[in-house]
Amino acid sequence: MRSLFYCLLALQILSACYEDKGNYSYTDPDTIQVGGIDSVYICNLSETLDIDPRLQDGNYDYMWMCFDKNNLRRKIDTLSTERHLSYKMNLQLSSYQLIFACRNKQTEVTKYFYSSLVVQSVFSRGWYVMKESDDHTELDLFTSNKNVENILTNTIGKPLEGKPRYLGFTKYTWLDTESGKLINQNKCFTILTSADLSVVRVSDMKRLAGFKDLFFETIPKCNPSLWYSGAEENGFVNNGEVFAYTERNGELGLSKFSYPKEGSHSVSNIFTKNATMAPLLFDTEIGKFCTSFKTPDRVIVLKDTENSDYKNDFHGYEPLYFGFLDEGMWEGGKIYAVLRKESDGGRIIVYIDGKNLVDFYPEFLTNGIKKIVTLDPSMKINSATCFAQNRKFEMMYFSVKDKLYCYDLSNSLEYEIKRENGQAAIPAGEQIEVMKHVVFDYQDYQDPNIKENVDCLAVLTSSGGSYKLYLFETMANKLKNDPIIYTGKGIPKQIFYMSPYLSDVFVCY
């Protein structure tokens, strides 16, 4: 009878959990009184989740269960059949619905209590810096209460071979050879270097796969330059060729890459996209904007139509930066492409409508160029060494050595960005290497107590063999005083903000 109760209980919860938004009883809510259960729990891997509910006197059956909110299959895991939950956490990093069920054996009344459970690790939240160290690739992590340097050396025993090129994000299915089980939905970094491509699990920094493990048969020469994910298709550029797979064929690890897409001539390592749009790419051999879509087996040149304001023809130009102003997950956005003319070094900014890369718009995969601005040779942006798009306004940050500037994309004006007090954003003598405006806005609609909001301009500078990471709060055309500052050793190459709530849906390149 007891096993039948558990079976029926799981089925009932599984069918009801799609609509559940709080604690309630399916029968008489006043019959069973329970206390000592919080609405939110956060637990690190390998630590013990300890919950000791209080019930009035009675004879009960108990069950603790959970399901992954980010897994559409909604598989329910049973954690315990005891009243007092003492569970050594070994679930994957994610957000879970935690369920406590208790049944009065005499009255057969069952009551359910729902909490949100966040499973994380010491690596699951904070600011990652990918850096070069002695011609190898390493990661540092900075949080409000802990800094972890040289993570790869400390976890897998050594840094990755080759100089750093790109730090991406994906999910990966891994075969645990000890247990013989497939473990899916592993949140992973994809770390691209000049010598390899490594899939590294965020929870414990275990290297799950290398470049050669990602292909079915023919393995090309390893020369990866960028990685993208989301919108069902995931892929990367290797030797100027595009390799892609679709999640309809299974998660990476089960699904693998095969042959490069036709039409891959010399795709550059400059691109942009949000989670639901096809990537904006640029083929330097033919001088045209292009993309990769989940259905065709070739790279698609964005075609000119009778409604195109400008031709998609930029032969003799090379891309320097693509900035993306996100206007909503399903809306695409505004894209600003900075191109440099190879013959004389002159620069232009191409304004592109990003909805042409979202597949339910009628203009899909057409040339969405709306404006081209030729930059005055006297402007400082012609000497810019790195860029960052403001994710909320038509402002593009750029730097020249230790100076931080902004280009007003609406009015074609440039000016120096300073702090509120008029002080320079970056101290003199520090070379600005990398910038990124990070906006991460998460809320669990099943539990309003769980939310996370990050909105800051992250700036990496270098001086000698050390670097600094500045985290600025932004305001109009200035930065707030007193940024958070972290320091590390090595040559910084990329910034990545990681959260236990991060998924492909939130990644914006």
Side-chain angles (χ1 to χ4, degrees), residues 350-370:
V350 183
Y351 294 56
I352 302 170
D353 191 343
K355 75 172 180 289
N356 292 41
L357 295 168
V358 180
D359 65 0
F360 52 76
Y361 279 94
E363 305 90 347
F364 183 52
L365 302 183
T366 63
N367 166 9
I369 299 171
K370 299 299 179 185

Side-chain angles (χ1 to χ4, degrees), residues 9-10 12-18 20 22-24 26 37-38 41 49 51 62-68 74-80 82 85 96-102 110-117 446:
L9 185 63
Q12 187 177 24
I13 293 173
L14 188 59
S15 63
C17 62
Y18 293 96
D20 289 333
N23 296 337
Y24 61 90
Y26 285 98
I37 298 180
D38 296 333
Y41 292 94
L49 177 62
I51 309 174
Y62 307 101
M63 180 177 280
W64 288 95
M65 295 164 286
C66 71
F67 65 83
D68 188 341
R74 295 292 202 236
K75 177 187 174 184
I76 290 183
D77 292 311
T78 300
L79 305 183
S80 175
E82 302 294 329
L85 176 65
Y96 293 83
Q97 184 81 76
L98 181 65
I99 306 161
F100 174 63
C102 55
T110 302
K111 191 166 185 177
Y112 306 90
F113 280 82
Y114 295 82
S115 303
S116 290
L117 168 64
Q446 292 187 0

